Amino acid sequence: MSIEARLKELNITLPDAPAPAANYVPFVQSGNLVFVSGQISANENGLITGKLGADLDVAAGQAAARRCGLALIAQLQAAIGDLDRVVRVVKLGGFVNSTADFTDQPKVVNGCSDLMVEVFGDAGRHARAAVSAPSLPLGVAVEVDAVFEVK
């Protein structure tokens, strides 16, 4: 099944690839690897802000991380055109805006990781980091960057 068909089957509509917010590019391809810059949590209503452990629970954090994943896939599509060129999701780097005593960063970033497996199947299984940050740009709840292997 093509990735486009899989997205339709999952009832997933990708957002437009967000424009960079500062002096960087949204993606860089080097050889068969595409590095996608960090995508911040946002939905059709705007930014998803707040601090895990204070303002947001794990489920809300997972939803925010999933939105980061959708933006990552949208950026990847902008970079390579055809998502069927994806060989592997190589690595995700997840940053969670959280209180000092919040320790469920891996559960939050699962919102993005689970999406990658839903969309890309076994090729969506990846290495990952899930870390806490005392704040993130614009007060967002989650930011995730990624490395993809393409053919």
Side-chain angles (χ1 to χ4, degrees):
M1 173 183 298
S2 75
I3 298 301
E4 285 296 324
R6 169 95 59 150
L7 290 169
K8 285 181 182 160
E9 178 182 76
L10 295 169
N11 200 28
I12 293 174
T13 302
L14 295 177
D16 292 334
N23 188 18
Y24 64 91
V25 294
F27 55 81
V28 170
Q29 184 167 353
S30 180
N32 64 340
L33 297 177
V34 178
F35 297 79
V36 180
S37 296
Q39 301 298 301
I40 59 177
S41 53
N43 60 27
E44 55 281 343
N45 298 318
L47 297 176
I48 301 169
T49 60
K51 190 172 286 288
L52 277 291
D55 311 311
L56 302 170
D57 63 13
V58 170
Q62 289 171 332
R66 182 177 177 89
R67 294 300 304 194
C68 293
L70 292 171
L72 286 167
I73 296 169
Q75 289 291 5
L76 180 62
Q77 187 171 47
I80 65 171
D82 182 2
L83 291 172
D84 289 326
R85 292 182 53 208
V86 173
V87 173
R88 182 93 196 230
V89 180
V90 177
K91 184 167 188 214
L92 298 179
F95 302 89
V96 180
N97 183 355
S98 59
T99 60
D101 61 343
F102 184 81
T103 59
D104 283 333
Q105 293 82 1
K107 290 179 184 176
V108 169
V109 179
N110 277 347
C112 185
S113 292
D114 292 348
L115 174 69
M116 294 301 160
V117 175
E118 285 176 44
V119 172
F120 297 106
D122 282 341
R125 299 191 185 285
H126 51 271
R128 185 181 88 176
V131 298
S132 181
S135 67
L136 289 174
L138 306 172
V140 297
V142 181
E143 180 173 353
V144 183
D145 66 357
V147 179
F148 297 90
E149 181 184 359
V150 298
K151 54 185 171 186

